[in-house]
């Protein structure tokens, strides 16, 4: 009995690496795409705005699982090579959540008071300096809480990589299920704890970042309730 | 691999059958989420010791763990433990409903908190019974405000239904998969599945945005 318990736990923990890699890779790609598309939506050029709109609405409008299937099963036939499952997963997670993140970036940049823009113009900052030195430092602090929610969504979406056999937690659990049918409580329990722990780590890191950045701006770091309370996703 | 229009025409009826299942799942799942979410929100507010804490814990755990695992949990663990055998479709409705109820509970909570305090005080002053205060005063003011948020969750749910193919629900993506497996041509069915999602969710999100603007003017 204890042998099988150990086996179950170690098998599921064996998927932890893939889950963390997928989440971390997905988050990195999400951040890059969010800023690219979010700032592009504020561009003066109509074409740039249009292209970023198409990306954002296209990925938000189609289902994430459908995107995963398309990239993993259709694309190889079109381009002639198959992506490694984990890599394909990271790309889909990043593209999908980047589309949602773009709206966060756009909203946060727009929420910076206009007077800040005008002040920077009066000081004859170049448009790039205005963005990098005045607007973004303030906007980024506003972005952190919604990005926290988005990253937790992304973490939950890593379970979908089960469909392309990327070897992450959910898939490991489903491979165990037929063998250890009587210990499903343990299997799903261990999976659940893994996701909860990663979610808490993400939240703690985001909160620390928020504190550091807020202090740099000379703002009072926000007071929040206990860590667990904010682990949840968008309300 | 090339795009074959006659194959597209052949696949469409099958995909539309799947789309009907997807829409049914979304509508029924949303109904469960809207009702159960309100129940959860009220239970959390009720300040019944232990129970409201348990509801809180339930909401947090369900929200921070993947829906796919919850589906497996219900399908392979909960049903056998209860000794019942509901269909995969019903499992999908229940799993989606419970998962999204934890989101709508927070939405209702925000809506209820937004009702001005004076309304409660006036109701107390007029000694209106507690249930009447909820059904006649608080909820009629809270619910219209949260309608756009509820609509958004319906759209998210719609886009998450494809993961139910893991337990064999014949929704759009599963139909596309079936079609692809029969003909070894996956380009058209999977692309069409994506287009079908876009065709429904994009107009819906525009409608919700319009509703948001209208509610904002309330």
């Amino acid at each position: 009995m204890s042998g099988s318990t150990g086996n179950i736990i170690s098998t599921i923990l064996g998927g932890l690496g893939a889950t963390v890699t997928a989440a971390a890779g997905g988050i990195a790609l999400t951040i890059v795409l969010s800023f690219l598309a979010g700032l592009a939506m504020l561009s003066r050029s109509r074409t740039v705005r249009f292209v970023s709109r198409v990306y954002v609405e296209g990925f938000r409008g189609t289902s994430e699982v459908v995107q995963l299937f398309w990239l993993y099963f259709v694309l190889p036939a079109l381009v002639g090579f198959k992506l490694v499952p984990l890599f394909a997963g990271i790309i889909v997670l990043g593209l999908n959540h980047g589309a949602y993140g773009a709206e966060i970036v756009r909203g946060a940049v727009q929420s910076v008071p206009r007077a800040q823009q005008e002040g920077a113009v009066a000081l004859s900052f170049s448009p790039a300096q205005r963005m990098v030195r005045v607007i973004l430092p303030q906007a980024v602090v506003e972005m952190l809480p919604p990005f926290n929610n988005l990253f937790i969504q992304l973490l939950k979406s890593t379970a979908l990589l089960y469909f392309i056999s990327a070897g992450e937690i959910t898939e490991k659990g489903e491979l165990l299920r037929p063998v250890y049918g009587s210990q499903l409580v343990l299997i799903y329990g261990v999976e659940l704890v893994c996701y909860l722990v990663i979610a808490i780590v993400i939240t703690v890191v985001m909160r620390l970042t928020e504190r550091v950045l807020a202090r740099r701006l000379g703002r009072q770091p926000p007071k929040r309730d206990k860590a667990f309370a904010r682990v949840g996703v968008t309300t | 691999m090339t795009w074959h229009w006659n194959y597209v025409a052949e696949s469409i009826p099958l995909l539309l059958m799947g789309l009907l299942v997807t829409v049914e799942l979304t509508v029924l799942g949303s109904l469960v989420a809207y009702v159960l979410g309100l129940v959860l929100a009220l239970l959390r507010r009720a300040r019944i010791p232990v129970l409201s804490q348990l509801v809180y814990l339930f909401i947090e755990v369900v929200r921070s763990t993947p829906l796919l695992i919850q589906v497996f949990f219900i399908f392979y663990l909960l049903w056998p433990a209860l000794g019942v055998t509901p269909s995969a479709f019903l499992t999908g409705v229940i799993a989606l409903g419970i998962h999204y109820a934890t989101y709508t509970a927070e939405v209702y909570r925000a809506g209820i908190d937004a009702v001005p305090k004076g309304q409660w005080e006036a109701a107390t002053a007029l000694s209106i019974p507690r249930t009447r205060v909820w059904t006649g005063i608080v909820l009629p003011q809270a619910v219209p405000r949260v309608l756009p948020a509820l609509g958004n969750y319906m759209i998210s749910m719609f886009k998450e239904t494809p993961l139910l193919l893991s337990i064999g629900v014949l929704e759009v993506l599963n139909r596309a998969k079936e079609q692809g497996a029969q003909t070894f041509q996956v380009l058209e069915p999977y692309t069409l599945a994506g287009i079908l999602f876009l065709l429904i969710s994009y107009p819906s999100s525009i409608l919700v945005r319009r509703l948001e603007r209208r509610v904002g003017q309330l």
Side-chain angles (χ1 to χ4, degrees):
Chain A
M1 196 68 186
S2 64
S4 67
T5 304
N7 195 4
I8 287 171
I9 294 176
S10 64
T11 307
I12 293 177
L13 290 183
L16 201 58
T19 295
V20 170
T21 310
I27 286 174
L29 189 57
T30 295
I31 295 173
V32 173
L33 289 172
S34 299
F35 275 90
L36 275 180
L39 295 177
M41 279 197 289
L42 295 166
S43 158
R44 254 187 243 152
S45 148
R46 234 202 170 132
T47 331
V48 173
R49 278 204 312 261
F50 179 75
V51 171
S52 52
R53 254 292 144 215
V54 169
Y55 160 64
V56 169
E57 298 300 344
F59 275 91
R60 293 204 318 170
T62 55
S63 168
E64 193 174 9
V65 192
V66 175
Q67 290 158 19
L68 188 68
F69 270 64
W70 206 92
L71 188 90
Y72 193 67
F73 297 114
V74 177
L75 202 65
L78 292 175
V79 298
F81 58 87
K82 201 160 188 150
L83 294 171
V84 178
L86 193 56
F87 187 63
I90 289 174
I91 292 178
V92 169
L93 289 171
L95 282 171
N96 185 284
H97 293 86
Y100 287 90
E103 293 285 12
I104 296 176
V105 171
R106 186 183 60 92
V109 168
Q110 280 179 332
S111 77
V112 174
R114 267 206 78 74
Q116 297 284 333
Q117 287 253 21
E118 287 156 7
V121 173
L123 292 168
S124 68
F125 277 21
S126 73
Q129 275 180 320
R130 228 185 295 157
M131 189 48 93
V132 175
R133 313 197 70 150
V134 181
I135 310 295
L136 279 184
Q138 302 182 58
V140 167
V141 179
E142 301 299 318
M143 289 174 206
L144 291 172
F147 264 123
N148 186 8
N149 290 334
L150 188 68
F151 294 160
I152 300 210
Q153 291 283 24
L154 189 145
L155 166 68
K156 294 196 297 175
S157 292
T158 59
L160 301 178
L161 301 195
Y162 152 77
F163 289 117
I164 58 170
S165 309
E168 45 65 67
I169 295 172
T170 312
E171 192 203 346
K172 298 279 182 195
E174 285 311 288
L175 291 177
L176 287 171
R177 185 171 52 76
V179 190
Y180 297 103
S182 58
Q183 281 176 287
L184 287 179
V185 177
L186 180 68
I187 295 179
Y188 291 124
V190 176
E191 290 178 31
L192 222 71
V193 170
C194 287
Y195 286 106
L196 281 175
V197 169
I198 306 173
I200 290 173
V201 170
I202 292 176
T203 302
V204 168
V205 170
M206 293 297 282
R207 278 283 184 75
L208 281 176
T209 319
E210 198 181 344
R211 276 176 158 273
V212 170
L213 291 184
R215 198 170 293 144
R216 270 202 186 168
L217 282 180
R219 287 186 196 165
Q220 190 75 21
K223 270 196 189 133
R224 291 282 185 70
D225 33 322
K226 286 164 285 167
F228 198 65
R230 286 281 170 150
V231 165
V233 200
T234 33
T235 52
Chain B
M1 195 193 287
T2 45
W3 183 269
H4 297 291
W5 282 108
N6 49 350
Y7 181 40
V8 170
E10 193 185 305
S11 310
I12 281 179
L14 207 68
L15 288 180
L16 287 181
M17 273 160 65
L19 188 64
L20 186 67
V21 176
T22 299
V23 171
E24 283 170 359
L25 281 168
T26 310
V27 172
L28 294 175
S30 299
L31 284 179
V32 175
Y34 295 161
V35 175
L36 185 63
L38 187 58
V39 173
L40 289 176
L42 294 177
L43 281 179
R44 231 192 112 171
R45 248 190 105 88
R47 300 230 172 77
I48 305 166
V50 185
L51 184 68
S52 30
Q53 274 89 337
L54 280 180
V55 169
Y56 169 73
L57 191 70
F58 176 78
I59 291 178
E60 290 302 325
V61 169
V62 172
R63 271 156 56 106
S64 1
T65 51
L67 174 61
L68 185 61
I69 293 186
Q70 289 155 20
V71 170
F72 289 146
F73 182 89
I74 295 175
F75 197 64
Y76 295 117
L77 181 64
L78 188 65
W79 293 154
L82 295 176
V84 290
T85 46
S87 65
F89 179 85
L90 192 62
T91 307
V93 169
I94 291 172
L96 286 168
I98 293 177
H99 189 79
Y100 278 89
T102 59
Y103 291 89
T104 57
E106 295 296 297
V107 170
Y108 284 121
R109 191 166 69 109
I112 292 167
D113 287 343
V115 174
K117 233 183 150 178
Q119 300 282 327
W120 290 96
E121 287 159 4
T124 313
L126 293 168
S127 65
I128 297 170
R130 199 90 180 125
T131 32
R132 210 49 205 104
V133 175
W134 278 105
T135 55
I137 298 166
V138 176
L139 290 180
Q141 294 186 72
V143 172
R145 276 177 229 255
V146 301
L147 283 180
L150 295 183
N152 274 329
Y153 281 124
M154 194 184 215
I155 300 174
S156 313
M157 188 189 286
F158 173 68
K159 287 180 292 187
E160 273 203 276
T161 51
L163 60 81
L164 293 174
L165 76 91
S166 60
I167 54 168
V169 179
L170 279 174
E171 44 64 63
V172 181
L173 189 61
N174 208 358
R175 288 286 186 186
K177 196 179 156 202
E178 228 179 34
Q179 185 77 343
Q182 264 173 28
T183 55
F184 300 105
Q185 271 276 67
V186 287
L187 171 65
E188 293 89 347
Y190 284 156
T191 310
L192 282 174
I195 293 172
L196 285 178
F197 275 99
L198 194 63
L199 281 181
I200 290 193
S201 71
Y202 186 54
S204 314
S205 65
I206 291 175
L207 285 178
V208 170
R209 237 174 278 163
R210 208 169 283 171
L211 185 66
E212 249 159 21
R213 231 168 286 148
R214 181 142 343 143
V215 169
Q217 284 164 358
L218 276 183

